[in-house]
Amino acid sequence: MNPSTTALLLIEYQNDFVSDGGAQHDAVSDVMAQTKMLANSTTLVEAARKSGATILHAPISFAEGYPEIGTDAYGILAGIVAAKAFRKGSWGAEFAPEMMPATGDIVVEGKRGLDCFASTNIDFILRQRGITDLAIAGFLTNCCVESTMRSAYERGYDVVTLTDCTATLSPEEQQASVAKNFPMFSRPMTHDVFLNALSRA
């Protein structure tokens, strides 16, 4: 795996998920603790950055009142509205301090739904940089991570999902994604296996 053609995509490492007091933190904190995802993620991004891999951050945010979602939302988007999460300009929508973008990182703008490819120019960014391998980490394992994984797979990227750098609402959902869904559309790896593959290039 060559760092020059590899990108690490970090999905929604924002206060509303990551930090105490975040609107959705309590919902994901058990799995975060179980997988040690935040500590693993900070190690991951620092090492991947040093290797020369492209680092992309994909935050999500909505205008006050959630006009982008509409009035008859259901499923996960209804949950975001009910929790008043990821409001543009709020503390909750800011990057968590541990995962702030660094100089040279790319912040992908325009994410309003689940799949990072659906409402952003991430595909353009990756192809312009000659990226062939895409590693994915973040929230929620069985929602945005899975949706993005599937889209990347269908677009021909060599996809890695970072099993110990993801979290969702319950251990059961985490295990189902990692054991059943990740292997269908990606090469599941722990962060240390991924970093080892990068270092051998």
Side-chain angles (χ1 to χ4, degrees):
M1 196 175 295
N2 191 330
S4 68
T5 56
T6 299
L8 171 62
L9 175 60
L10 304 163
I11 301 177
E12 296 173 11
Y13 282 87
Q14 295 160 265
N15 286 321
D16 271 338
F17 273 141
V18 175
S19 304
D20 285 335
Q24 301 281 25
H25 179 67
D26 286 349
V28 297
S29 58
D30 285 351
V31 175
M32 285 183 68
Q34 180 187 64
T35 63
K36 298 182 173 61
M37 73 92 68
L38 185 55
N40 293 339
S41 296
T42 57
T43 299
L44 166 73
V45 69
E46 288 170 11
R49 198 179 276 132
K50 286 178 183 176
S51 80
T54 297
I55 310 299
L56 301 106
H57 304 259
I60 193 170
S61 66
F62 301 93
E64 195 67 39
Y66 302 92
E68 303 94 337
I69 295 177
T71 57
D72 60 347
Y74 61 95
I76 189 69
L77 293 177
I80 289 173
V81 174
K84 297 183 178 175
F86 305 110
R87 288 170 294 140
K88 190 179 297 184
S90 71
W91 170 83
E94 293 174 3
F95 288 107
E98 301 91 336
M99 296 294 289
M100 290 290 292
T103 301
D105 291 0
I106 298 168
V107 176
V108 178
E109 299 178 355
K111 187 174 187 298
R112 299 290 182 270
L114 315 182
D115 173 11
C116 287
F117 286 87
S119 60
T120 77
N121 66 341
I122 188 172
D123 192 53
F124 175 82
I125 293 169
L126 296 173
R127 296 194 190 282
Q128 284 293 303
R129 296 180 68 89
I131 299 300
T132 57
D133 297 74
L134 181 65
I136 304 172
F139 301 90
L140 293 168
T141 312
N142 56 339
C143 185
C144 295
V145 171
E146 273 202 26
S147 294
T148 303
M149 167 191 73
R150 291 167 190 253
S151 281
Y153 181 84
E154 291 197 39
R155 284 170 170 80
Y157 294 100
D158 196 338
V159 185
V160 170
T161 39
L162 296 157
T163 58
D164 60 350
C165 296
T166 58
T168 190
L169 305 178
S170 72
E172 293 79 14
E173 290 169 275
Q174 179 76 13
Q175 178 60 22
S177 283
V178 168
K180 301 296 184 183
N181 296 338
F182 279 9
M184 293 183 70
F185 306 101
S186 73
R187 307 178 196 274
M189 298 182 191
T190 57
H191 77 286
D192 52 345
V193 170
F194 170 72
L195 292 174
N196 186 54
L198 272 184
S199 70
R200 292 202 310 269

